[in-house]
Amino acid sequence: MKYILLFIILFLNHLVFAQTVEKDVFEIYKRQYNSMIKSRGASYSSGFTDLIGGFKTSGLKSNTDFANVLKNLYGDKEKIGVVFFFYNEGILHRTFFKPGQVLEEKAIKISQQKLVELHSDLLMAFQIQAKSASRSPIKRGVAVKNVGSNAKKINLEVLTKEIGSILLPIGFDETVKQLIVIPALNIGTFPFHILKPYKDNSYLIDKCSFTISPGIVDLIVSKTLILRGTMGGEWRDGKYFDQSGGTDRNTYMPPRRKFTLDNPLFISNPAYPKNLEYSFPDLPGATKEIAGAISYAEDYHLLSGNNAKKDSILKYWDKADLIYFATHGIADESNPIENSYLVLSGIDAKLTARDVMNLAAKGKSFPELVILSACQTGLGKSVDVGITGLARSFILGGTKQVIMSLWNVDDEATAFLMERFIFHLQEPNFYLPSEQLRLAILDTKVKYPNPMYWASFSVFGVSY
C-alpha cells in the first residue's frame, strides 16, 4: 500500500477513452490527480510493480469498461454502488456504477462556490459552530464572534433535499448496501449519512454504509489487495484471476471480518501547548472516549497528558495495528500539508500531514486502521479531485482506512459513538469498517437524535 502513489500515476497514464466526452473527462482527471499528488511533495519507492501486471496495459476505453472492472472485482452479492464525481469548467459530472453496469451519467452546472455555500449552510443549520464553541480551538488574539443570534434561518429539510439531488444518483435505492464515493472538490466532506433517498423518508445511514474513496485507482488497488489476501491471484490481460484461474465474481461474497485490538496505540487529551497560534480547551470527554476503547484491547500503549509527545508516539508507531487519536486537530485550507495537524504535547506539538508523509518516505510501517477523533480531520484544501489534508496523508502512507471527522464533535456523543464502534468491530460483519461505523451511528442516533451528534464521522478509504 505504501507504493500506491506510483500505482496511481502509472495507471492513470494508461486511461484512454474512445468516446470524446469520456476521453476528455478522464484525461483531465488524470492531470488533476497527478497535479494533486505532485503538490504534496511525496516521495515513494519505485519498487511497486507486481499489481500492475497486465492491468496497466488493458486500456480502459469507456465507462462500460470501468463497470466491467468493477464486475471483475466485486460479486453481485456484495451489493455495492460506486458514484464517481468529476469537476471541470463549472460542470460537475456524476457517474453511477454497479458492477458491470453504468446506471447514470449526469452533468450538473454548479460553481465551486455554490458547493462551499451548501456545506456552510448545512453546518449552520445544525448550529455546529455555536454549539461547539466551548470545545473548539481559539486563535490567540482574535475575538470570538457570537454566531448564534445573527445566523440566517435555514430550512434543513429543503437544504438536505437540494444537497441530495447533487450527491446521490437517481438510480440509488435499497439494493445498494455499500456506497463507494469517489469525490471531487469538497463533496467528501458532506455527511452522506443524513441524505434521504428512500421512499419511507429514512436516512441513507439507516440502510446503507458508505466510504469516501481517495480516487479511482485507490478503489481498484484496495479491492485487489483484499482479493489477494482472501483468494490469491493476480492481474492478467486486464482481469483479476484468483488462484484457481477464475474471474467470475457473480457468486462471490467476501467473508465476514472483525477487527480485534491486538496492539493499539492510544493518544488521549495531551497537555496542550501554550506556545502555538491557537489555545486549546481541555477535552475531558477524550479521556472517557479512550477508556471505553481500552476495555476491548488485548494489549495496548496509552499516551496521554504530558506523555503524548511526538517521539513517544513514533516509538510505538511501527507495531500498532490501530492508532487512535483523541485530541484537537487543525485543518488548514491554504497550506494543508504544512499547516493541518493533530495537537500533541511537548515542544514539537504538531503532527502535520507533512510529518505523516515523511514517516512513510522513511519506511515507517503504518497501522491498518487510524481513528482521527479530533475536530475537522476530514477537512483540508478542496482541489479538483477531493480534499487534501491529514486523512489522505495516512492513506498514502499505507493505512487502509481512516475514520475522520467532518466538524467539531461533541465530547459525550463522540465517546458513546466510538465505544459502540469499537464494540461492533469485535463482531464479524461485512464492509469492515464502514458497516461497523454505521451500526455505531444507529446506536448513537437512538440516544442522540440530532444528526449533529452522530453524522460527523465517515470512513476514508475502501472497506473490506
Side-chain angles (χ1 to χ4, degrees):
M1 283 294 288
K2 71 177 182 178
Y3 303 123
I4 195 171
L5 171 62
L6 178 64
F7 193 106
I8 289 170
I9 293 174
L10 289 173
F11 175 78
L12 290 176
N13 283 335
H14 288 85
L15 286 177
V16 181
F17 287 80
Q19 300 177 25
T20 301
V21 173
E22 289 180 315
K23 181 178 184 298
D24 289 344
V25 165
F26 281 89
E27 282 298 316
I28 295 170
Y29 178 80
K30 176 186 70 176
R31 293 196 295 270
Q32 290 175 347
Y33 213 127
N34 286 343
S35 176
M36 182 274 294
I37 293 294
K38 290 177 181 178
S39 71
R40 297 179 67 87
S43 176
Y44 289 86
S45 169
S46 59
F48 187 69
T49 58
D50 59 333
L51 276 181
I52 301 173
F55 178 61
K56 74 173 184 179
T57 58
S58 62
L60 295 181
K61 298 177 181 178
S62 67
N63 284 333
T64 300
D65 284 347
F66 179 55
N68 288 334
V69 169
L70 293 175
K71 185 177 179 63
N72 183 219
L73 294 176
Y74 286 93
D76 292 343
K77 290 184 178 181
E78 292 184 75
K79 298 181 179 179
I80 70 126
V82 178
V83 56
F84 166 56
F85 294 95
F86 165 79
Y87 189 84
N88 188 53
E89 296 183 350
I91 302 296
L92 180 67
H93 300 265
R94 185 183 73 202
T95 309
F96 183 45
F97 300 90
K98 286 185 179 180
Q101 303 176 70
V102 183
L103 297 180
E104 180 194 73
E105 297 169 298
K106 186 175 180 62
I108 304 168
K109 187 175 182 180
I110 188 171
S111 68
Q112 297 184 42
Q113 183 58 35
K114 177 62 175 178
L115 287 170
V116 171
E117 290 173 359
L118 286 172
H119 186 268
S120 177
D121 286 349
L122 187 61
L123 297 187
M124 192 175 295
F126 286 147
Q127 299 182 347
I128 297 296
Q129 187 176 354
K131 292 184 177 181
S132 63
S134 63
R135 303 184 306 278
S136 301
I138 301 172
K139 202 159 191 176
R140 299 183 190 277
V142 177
V144 179
K145 296 180 180 179
N146 184 353
V147 297
S149 59
N150 296 324
K152 65 179 180 180
K153 302 300 180 182
I154 298 172
N155 186 312
L156 181 58
E157 184 176 351
V158 172
L159 177 62
T160 302
K161 188 174 182 179
E162 180 181 5
I163 293 172
S165 69
I166 297 169
L167 300 187
L168 286 182
I170 296 173
F172 179 86
D173 57 25
E174 294 184 25
T175 62
V176 177
K177 298 302 181 183
Q178 165 79 177
L179 180 65
I180 301 173
V181 179
I182 304 173
L185 303 175
N186 66 334
I187 285 174
T189 67
F190 281 88
F192 278 71
H193 324 55
I194 68 168
L195 303 181
K196 294 184 175 182
Y198 306 115
K199 293 180 180 179
D200 61 3
N201 204 39
S202 56
Y203 292 108
L204 180 144
I205 202 67
D206 288 328
K207 302 179 181 182
C208 179
S209 61
F210 73 95
T211 66
I212 307 297
S213 173
I216 291 175
V217 181
D218 305 73
L219 166 58
I220 296 173
V221 171
S222 296
K223 183 60 177 180
T224 297
L225 291 173
I226 292 167
L227 290 175
R228 287 184 63 180
T230 57
M231 304 176 67
E234 61 182 356
W235 278 99
R236 189 170 67 250
D237 300 327
K239 292 184 177 181
Y240 187 82
F241 291 81
D242 60 34
Q243 285 183 329
S244 67
T247 63
D248 186 3
R249 301 283 176 262
N250 287 339
T251 60
Y252 173 73
M253 189 66 187
R256 295 175 184 266
R257 292 172 178 263
K258 62 181 179 178
F259 188 99
T260 55
L261 280 65
D262 296 328
N263 191 26
L265 171 59
F266 299 106
I267 297 93
S268 172
N269 201 20
Y272 299 110
K274 308 295 184 182
N275 60 340
L276 297 183
E277 64 271 33
Y278 289 89
S279 60
F280 302 96
D282 189 53
L283 295 176
T287 302
K288 180 179 179 181
E289 180 181 341
I290 293 298
I294 282 177
S295 64
Y296 296 96
E298 292 294 326
D299 192 10
Y300 65 89
H301 291 96
L302 171 63
L303 301 173
S304 62
N306 289 318
N307 294 321
K309 297 178 181 179
K310 186 183 294 185
D311 56 352
S312 299
I313 292 170
L314 298 184
K315 177 181 177 181
Y316 300 110
W317 186 288
D318 279 316
K319 296 182 179 180
D321 56 354
L322 164 73
I323 299 183
Y324 190 144
F325 293 91
T327 180
H328 281 288
I330 295 294
D332 185 82
E333 296 181 1
S334 59
N335 190 353
I337 308 306
E338 308 296 342
N339 297 332
S340 291
Y341 59 89
L342 297 164
V343 186
L344 308 175
S345 58
I347 297 175
D348 186 9
K350 296 181 180 180
L351 182 67
T352 67
R354 172 70 67 200
D355 291 333
V356 175
M357 289 195 302
N358 286 342
L359 291 174
K362 293 175 182 178
K364 275 279 188 182
S365 298
F366 274 59
E368 186 173 352
L369 177 65
V370 168
I371 298 176
L372 301 180
S373 183
C375 302
Q376 305 177 11
T377 50
L379 306 186
K381 183 178 182 180
S382 175
V383 296
D384 291 325
V385 291
I387 293 292
T388 177
L390 274 169
R392 192 183 291 272
S393 296
F394 281 94
I395 294 292
L396 287 177
T399 293
K400 293 181 175 64
Q401 297 97 14
V402 176
I403 308 299
M404 63 183 186
S405 67
L406 305 179
W407 56 72
N408 294 337
V409 290
D410 176 82
D411 270 6
E412 290 296 321
T414 298
F416 182 83
L417 189 153
M418 284 301 172
E419 188 278 330
R420 298 309 298 164
F421 175 56
I422 300 296
F423 168 80
H424 287 296
L425 283 178
Q426 314 303 304
E427 297 297 323
N429 212 325
F430 301 117
Y431 314 129
L432 176 73
S434 60
E435 177 63 13
Q436 287 82 349
L437 181 61
R438 186 184 80 88
L439 294 175
I441 289 171
L442 296 185
D443 292 343
T444 307
K445 191 156 68 77
V446 173
K447 187 173 183 178
Y448 301 91
N450 191 321
M452 72 164 287
Y453 295 113
W454 50 260
S456 61
F457 287 97
S458 60
V459 177
F460 191 58
V462 177
S463 286
Y464 288 105

